[in-house]
Amino acid sequence: MRSIRTSPWIALGILIFLCAAVIAVAARQSRASTALDARVEKFLNDQRSDWHDWNVPYQDGKVLHDLIARNHYTRALEIGTSSGHSAIWIAWALSKPAAS
């Protein structure tokens, strides 16, 4: 049988191509994440005065979001009986990529 030898330059080229592809995908995800963050934050700020009574206060929602995002949780169970304010905070935090 004949052995196949790969030039180190070909292997290096493949490695560089794969790294560039990973960086491009990460950049796209980062832009999408930034756009989502802006939309959700605008929505929460616009609705801030509409949520009251039994809803989670804005500050508590922010703490909940930060707790989930900081610990890179991937699942959550929210059992609520109100308007979904806390569920928005939880879903937003769960949408964050693990590296952020």
Side-chain angles (χ1 to χ4, degrees):
M1 263 197 200
R2 188 175 172 195
S3 69
I4 299 175
R5 298 190 72 203
T6 304
S7 163
W9 295 110
I10 292 173
L12 181 62
I14 291 170
L15 181 61
I16 291 171
F17 172 78
L18 292 174
C19 288
V22 168
I23 290 169
V25 168
R28 257 187 265 127
Q29 288 176 339
S30 177
R31 283 191 301 272
S33 178
T34 303
L36 175 65
D37 288 345
R39 287 175 49 203
V40 173
E41 195 164 7
K42 180 183 181 328
F43 174 77
L44 288 169
N45 282 326
D46 290 349
Q47 302 298 320
R48 195 171 183 168
S49 63
D50 295 340
W51 280 309
H52 45 78
D53 299 329
W54 289 100
N55 290 292
V56 169
Y58 187 90
Q59 296 79 6
D60 292 352
K62 179 81 173 117
V63 168
L64 182 61
H65 169 276
D66 294 345
L67 177 70
I68 292 167
R70 181 177 47 246
N71 290 300
H72 307 296
Y73 293 132
T74 58
R75 293 179 288 177
L77 173 63
E78 200 273 346
I79 301 172
T81 59
S82 194
S83 63
H85 187 227
S86 58
I88 293 169
W89 284 104
I90 292 168
W92 184 23
L94 290 172
S95 74
K96 306 271 185 211
S100 63

